[in-house]
């Protein structure tokens, strides 16, 4: 068999095998607890989001007395299976950062790896990187990769603000991940 014909056959077989590769699509919902201001009494949760860079005063955001363009927060937020952190099981941690990246609205650059320590995705992690327009009802976060039992994951997350306290800047976010692994 001529070499060119063998090569063409090998490519055809490889393409056919890629087309039959099995992937699993999964949906998971969890809650991220972003605590910027810890309880003054010490009885509440410790801060899990810390501002590490402060934008200049001239870059105040419209309608936001707390945050400025350029503010950068490092996060190590707990992930739970329910909205109430006290009565919900821990499923992991979200570690990364968010930065106020718009001069004109409350939009963040959000980058985090969500590491799962319990549940069906235990031992796995996914990373997201996206613009998060925090005042929108639903925001979409592309999954840029996975590790462990979620190695090679692709997909997206839908992020919703479950609760927000404008005085403390604390928030609980509902995250629905749709993954192909």
């Amino acid at each position: 068999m001529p070499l060119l014909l063998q090569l063409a056959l090998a490519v055809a077989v490889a393409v056919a095998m890629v087309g039959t590769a099995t992937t699993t699509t999964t949906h998971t919902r969890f809650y991220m607890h972003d605590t910027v201001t810890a309880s003054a009494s010490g009885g509440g949760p410790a801060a899990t989001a810390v501002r590490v860079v402060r934008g200049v005063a001239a870059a105040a955001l419209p309608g936001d007395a707390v945050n400025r363009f350029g503010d950068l927060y490092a996060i190590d937020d707990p992930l739970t299976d329910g909205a109430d952190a006290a009565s919900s099981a821990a499923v992991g941690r979200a570690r990364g950062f968010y930065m106020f990246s718009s001069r004109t609205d409350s939009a963040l650059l959000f980058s985090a790896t969500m590491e799962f320590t319990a549940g069906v995705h235990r031992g796995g992690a996914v990373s997201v990187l996206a613009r998060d327009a925090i005042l929108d009802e639903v925001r979409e976060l592309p999954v840029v990769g996975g590790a462990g039992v979620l190695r090679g994951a692709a997909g997206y997350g839908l992020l919703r603000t479950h609760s927000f306290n404008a005085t403390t800047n604390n928030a609980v976010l509902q995250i629905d991940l749709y993954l192909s692994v």
Side-chain angles (χ1 to χ4, degrees):
M1 183 181 293
L3 182 60
L4 190 55
L5 186 58
Q6 288 176 350
L7 183 58
L9 183 59
V11 169
V13 169
V15 169
M17 289 180 71
V18 168
T20 62
T22 59
T23 59
T24 302
T25 301
T26 183
H27 166 248
T28 187
R29 173 178 289 168
F30 53 90
Y31 294 82
M32 184 174 105
H33 303 267
D34 191 57
T35 305
V36 177
T37 307
S39 171
S41 66
T48 62
V50 177
R51 184 172 36 215
V52 294
V53 174
R54 181 78 165 139
V56 295
L61 294 173
D64 188 338
V66 176
N67 297 297
R68 302 173 181 173
F69 170 69
D71 282 2
L72 175 69
Y73 289 81
I75 64 168
D76 185 2
D77 291 343
L79 304 175
T80 63
D81 65 0
D84 181 11
S87 63
S88 300
V91 297
R93 310 267 329 165
R95 295 183 170 113
F97 69 88
Y98 55 85
M99 177 176 63
F100 284 85
S101 57
S102 173
R103 290 181 167 275
T104 58
D105 61 354
S106 294
L108 309 173
L109 170 63
F110 179 60
S111 176
T113 297
M114 296 171 191
E115 304 166 348
F116 298 100
T117 56
V120 68
H121 299 303
R122 182 178 184 202
V126 295
S127 295
V128 297
L129 174 65
R131 177 180 186 271
D132 179 4
I134 60 177
L135 298 179
D136 289 355
E137 184 178 341
V138 179
R139 290 90 73 192
E140 186 171 330
L141 305 174
V143 171
V144 296
V149 300
L150 296 171
R151 183 176 295 120
Y156 63 97
L158 297 179
L159 183 66
R160 293 174 176 85
T161 303
H162 177 77
S163 63
F164 175 71
N165 182 318
T167 303
T168 63
N169 243 15
N170 298 341
V172 177
L173 307 173
Q174 176 186 309
I175 301 174
D176 286 278
L177 285 183
Y178 298 89
L179 303 172
S180 295
V181 182

